[in-house]
Amino acid sequence: WARRLGGLAQVESEMVQAYGIIKGMKPEVFVEIGSLFGASLYIYAGVCMPGATVISVDIGQEEMALRKSVSKLHDEGFDSHFVKGRSDAVETIQAVTGILRESPIDLLHIDGDHSEEVVRRDYDNYRPMVRTGGAIMFHDISDNHPHADVHRVWKEVRGDMFKEFVYPRKNIGIGIMWV
């Protein structure tokens, strides 16, 4: 299903390794910032508890495909939501907190705007919503990525409890940190 949405914007081998680590978490609340087609949203929702809250925060560049993914998750029993807007906009953050109704995030995936400033704001705005013991994933953490400054924030915030998967030829990478 995820491949038919328009393709993955992530390296499959990195996703497989990240999936293997987070599957034991069984998140009840999963938030993804930057879902594009919804493929990674759909795949990572596969580690969540049945009926989990799954929220996509995205500007809607590929809105039809993303809505199909969110709808499919809903049909599969998830409490799935699409919040359209910039992840760092006050209205977007308020919409997410309204859906959460004070439930903490178990798994946060930051993969939206890849500028250092917005990645930092996403981390600063959404990190307080993540429960102690929860995880934050960052995509495009390679410092050789030609169009992303995610690595600057990742290296600053990852702490001692982290795992990362970066394949030099792909110049992308996924990092997972526990809070």
Side-chain angles (χ1 to χ4, degrees), residues 7-176:
L8 291 172
Q10 299 185 9
V11 175
E12 188 172 336
S13 56
E14 294 171 350
M15 287 188 78
V16 167
Q17 288 189 289
Y19 189 96
I21 288 178
I22 61 174
K23 74 178 177 184
M25 292 178 58
K26 301 286 187 205
E28 293 181 26
V29 178
F30 167 44
V31 176
E32 180 173 74
I33 298 170
S35 299
L36 196 59
F37 296 104
S40 61
L41 180 79
Y42 184 81
I43 290 168
Y44 290 134
V47 305
C48 294
M49 294 292 291
T53 299
V54 177
I55 303 170
S56 167
V57 177
D58 194 271
I59 59 173
Q61 182 178 349
E62 297 293 341
E63 187 170 344
M64 276 184 47
L66 179 51
R67 286 192 183 279
K68 283 181 185 176
S69 184
V70 171
S71 179
K72 183 156 178 60
L73 288 169
H74 178 78
D75 292 347
E76 293 178 9
F78 291 96
D79 179 22
S80 56
H81 304 266
F82 168 42
V83 177
K84 185 177 180 180
R86 287 187 51 92
S87 56
D88 58 344
V90 172
E91 312 80 55
T92 304
I93 296 165
Q94 289 173 340
V96 171
T97 57
I99 294 166
L100 293 174
R101 294 182 304 275
E102 299 191 30
S103 294
I105 297 170
D106 297 306
L107 177 61
L108 172 64
H109 183 206
I110 298 176
D111 191 18
D113 185 310
H114 287 46
S115 69
E116 181 178 357
E117 298 78 21
V118 177
V119 172
R120 186 173 312 282
R121 283 196 300 266
D122 285 344
Y123 177 80
D124 290 343
N125 288 328
Y126 292 85
R127 160 60 188 94
M129 298 180 212
V130 178
R131 72 169 171 82
T132 301
I136 303 174
M137 292 194 318
F138 288 78
H139 187 234
D140 295 323
I141 62 166
S142 171
D143 51 5
N144 293 322
H145 192 293
H147 309 292
D149 290 323
V150 178
H151 66 280
R152 297 175 197 273
V153 179
W154 167 247
K155 288 178 180 175
E156 180 184 314
V157 302
R158 68 184 180 198
D160 296 330
M161 298 280 296
F162 72 92
K163 198 82 162 147
E164 57 187 36
F165 311 102
V166 179
Y167 297 92
R169 286 191 222 161
K170 299 291 184 180
N171 292 326
I172 297 177
I174 295 175
I176 305 170

